[in-house]
Amino acid sequence: ATEPTEVRIVYDAAALYIGVTAYDSDPNGWLGYQRRRDEFLAADDRFQWTIDTFLDGRTGYFFEMNPSGLMADALLGVNGNNRQWDGIWNARTRHTTFGWVIEIQIPFRTLNFNPDNDTWGINFQRTVRRKSEDSLWMGWARNQGLQRMANAGRVSGISNVSQGHGLDIKPYGLLVGDAAPARGQNNFIRDQNAGIDFFY
C-alpha cells in the first residue's frame, strides 16, 4: 500500500469499537461524493470491513464508509449480499493534517453471534480512488477478497458480551425545504415530520 492504514479494535459489554486511521500523503486529495446511506462508492475513497461472527467462513456482515461519512452495510450469505439490511451502528469521520479517521461503534445487539465463541473472522479494505489502489488486509490473492470470509483474519478475546433484548428505540425529526424557480415555484415549500422508530 502506498498510503498506510491503521485499525484498532476494542470492545465493552455493549459494543464493538473500531478506530481507523487512513494516512494520506495528500490530506486534501481524498474523494467523497456520496452521502446517502447504502449508495455504492464507485468514485469515492472508502474503507470497508467484514465480520464473520460465527467463524463459519460463509456468512457475515459487510460495512463501508467514505471520507464524507457515508454509511453502508449488508448481510453476506451463500446466496449473495442483502443490502436491504440496515444495521444499527454509529460512526463519524474526521479530516486531519495526515489523512482522515473513522470512529465506529457497532452495538452487539445489531449482530447475531454465539456468545460462547470468542473468535470472529474479520477483514479490512481501503480504496484510494485517485491512485486506483485497493489495499486488503487478508485474502489478497486474485481468487480471494474482502467478502470471501474463509480468507478473513481473526479477532479473538471477545467474551462476556450479550446481544441484549434486540430492541432499539430511536426518535427522529425531519425538516425539508424545497424551491424550484426554473419551474415557476419561487417560494419554499416546507414540510416537517417527527416520530419514533422501533427496531426489534
Side-chain angles (χ1 to χ4, degrees):
T2 63
E3 306 291 354
T5 306
E6 293 180 359
V7 179
R8 292 173 172 84
I9 301 171
V10 296
Y11 75 94
D12 60 19
L16 184 74
Y17 304 92
I18 302 174
V20 181
T21 305
Y23 292 97
D24 202 316
S25 55
D26 180 7
N28 296 317
W30 56 269
L31 300 173
Y33 302 106
Q34 291 291 346
R35 294 188 180 186
R36 185 180 303 159
R37 175 117 185 195
D38 287 334
E39 280 294 317
F40 291 94
L41 299 177
D44 290 12
D45 286 20
R46 63 187 177 183
F47 181 79
Q48 303 173 302
W49 66 102
T50 53
I51 302 173
D52 175 3
T53 56
F54 287 102
L55 202 62
D56 62 11
R58 297 178 296 125
T59 60
Y61 299 88
F62 167 84
F63 302 89
E64 72 177 329
M65 293 190 71
N66 71 0
S68 296
L70 170 137
M71 298 168 64
D73 49 21
L75 289 175
L76 304 178
V78 293
N79 295 321
N81 299 351
N82 177 4
R83 284 185 78 100
Q84 298 299 316
W85 178 78
D86 283 327
I88 300 166
W89 55 289
N90 295 307
R92 297 289 181 268
T93 58
R94 184 170 49 92
H95 304 124
T96 69
T97 56
F98 51 81
W100 54 290
V101 297
I102 312 173
E103 296 177 354
I104 303 155
Q105 177 200 40
I106 304 173
F108 287 120
R109 66 181 180 270
T110 298
L111 308 172
N112 287 325
F113 60 91
N114 178 357
D116 297 326
N117 180 13
D118 74 340
T119 302
W120 295 357
I122 196 162
N123 209 353
F124 311 101
Q125 178 177 317
R126 178 181 174 194
T127 299
V128 181
R129 192 62 68 185
R130 70 182 185 277
K131 296 183 176 185
S132 297
E133 179 178 278
D134 287 322
S135 303
L136 190 63
W137 182 48
M138 298 293 291
W140 36 263
R142 193 178 293 263
N143 67 339
Q144 298 172 354
L146 178 74
Q147 296 185 25
R148 186 167 170 174
M149 298 313 299
N151 302 111
R154 302 285 184 266
V155 60
S156 60
I158 301 173
S159 60
N160 299 319
V161 298
S162 170
Q163 290 177 295
H165 297 292
L167 176 65
D168 199 50
I169 301 170
K170 278 193 167 183
Y172 68 88
L174 179 66
L175 180 63
V176 178
D178 187 21
R183 291 183 288 183
Q185 178 189 327
N186 293 322
N187 297 331
F188 268 99
I189 297 176
R190 293 178 176 83
D191 189 19
Q192 58 190 12
N193 197 354
I196 299 176
D197 284 335
F198 292 89
F199 300 92
Y200 179 71

